Amino acid sequence: MAACGLHFTVVVTEPGDVFAWGAGVFGQLGLNTGKDQLLPERVAGREVFGARMVMVAAGALNSAGVTASGMLFTYGSGAEGQLGHGDLEDRMRPERIGRELFGGRPVLMVACGMEHTMVLTVGGLWTCGKGEDGKLGHGDEADRLVLTQVAAEHFEGNAQIVMVAAGGSHSVAMGSEGGVWTWGFGAYLGHIDVQDRHLPTLLPGAAFTESKVVMVA
C-alpha cells in the first residue's frame, strides 16, 4: 500500500517494511533526519516495529503506521499534538504508542489529516491533534495531545465503525452497515447546510440513493 502526504510518500512492501521519500524537514519520512529524500529509502521493518507493518497513513507533515499485531507508530511533525505522544515535539523516527492507552485493544487502522489523527481500535475511535472546527469529534474545538476516545453514543444504534478518513478540516467514519458520519468544517460535511459539527453526525441514507457505502477516503 501507499500513502501520500503534503510533499512526501510512504509505502509498505509485502514483507512489511516501510519505505519513504520526498520532503523530510519535520521527520515525516522517519529516517532520523530532516533532509529531503529523492529516492525511496527504507525506514524500518520488524527490527523496529516488532511485527510486519500492514498499513501506513500520511498527513500534511506527519506519518503513522499499524502493525499486524495491532501496534501504532507515529512520527513527523507534532506541532499540533497530532502524533498523540502528549507533547508538541517532532519525532524523526517512528515511535510506538502503547496499547495500554486503548485498554489493551489492538489498533485496526489509522488516518492522518492536515493536523489531526484518527485511530480505529477494536471497539472504539480515538482522535488527537488540532481541534479547530470540531474535527476531533469531542463536542468542542480544544486540541488534544493524547489520543482521546470519541464517545460511542454519537454513532447511532451502537454502530460498529469499520473505516475512518481525515481531511484538512473534517473527519469521516463509516459503519459496518454502510452508515456515514461526518464532523468538522460544515461546508465539507455533506449536510444540507454549512454549519460546523463538533460531534459525529449521520448522513441520511437517501444521500446515497439508499445504496450501501463501502468505503470512505
Side-chain angles (χ1 to χ4, degrees):
M1 77 163 296
C4 296
L6 186 58
H7 298 300
F8 69 102
T9 303
V10 186
V11 302
V12 179
T13 64
E14 188 173 19
D17 295 344
V18 175
F19 286 74
W21 64 95
V25 64
F26 295 100
Q28 63 265 50
L29 301 183
L31 298 171
N32 203 32
T33 174
K35 296 180 180 179
D36 296 348
Q37 181 69 32
L38 293 179
L39 299 174
E41 182 76 14
R42 185 178 185 272
V43 178
R46 293 174 184 263
E47 77 284 355
V48 170
F49 304 128
R52 183 171 57 90
M53 188 65 72
V54 294
M55 81 158 295
V56 288
L61 302 170
N62 63 293
S63 301
V66 178
T67 70
S69 59
M71 297 302 300
L72 173 68
F73 289 80
T74 65
Y75 49 103
S77 174
E80 303 294 342
Q82 63 266 53
L83 300 185
H85 294 292
D87 56 45
L88 302 176
E89 300 299 317
D90 298 344
R91 262 67 175 185
M92 294 289 170
R93 290 286 288 165
E95 186 167 320
R96 182 175 64 89
I97 294 179
R99 273 184 18 191
E100 57 271 15
L101 176 66
F102 313 115
R105 291 171 290 185
V107 172
L108 301 176
M109 77 167 293
V110 60
C112 297
M114 182 71 74
E115 296 169 321
H116 74 296
T117 299
M118 306 173 70
V119 173
L120 183 62
T121 67
V122 172
L125 171 61
W126 309 67
T127 62
C128 67
K130 193 172 184 65
E132 186 179 19
D133 303 315
K135 59 181 172 281
L136 298 186
H138 300 297
D140 55 39
E141 296 194 14
D143 298 347
R144 261 76 173 184
L145 304 185
V146 175
L147 283 157
T148 304
Q149 188 168 12
V150 178
E153 66 194 46
H154 301 310
F155 300 104
E156 287 87 337
N158 295 317
Q160 178 187 0
I161 301 303
V162 296
M163 188 175 293
V164 294
S169 302
H170 70 298
S171 302
V172 183
M174 186 189 79
S176 59
E177 299 301 317
V180 176
W181 288 260
T182 64
W183 61 98
F185 189 73
Y188 309 151
L189 302 183
H191 298 285
I192 198 168
D193 54 46
V194 295
Q195 178 182 348
D196 294 350
R197 263 76 172 181
H198 292 177
L199 294 170
T201 305
L202 182 65
L203 288 173
F208 309 107
T209 62
E210 304 302 333
S211 296
K212 181 179 178 179
V213 175
V214 297
M215 179 180 179
V216 292

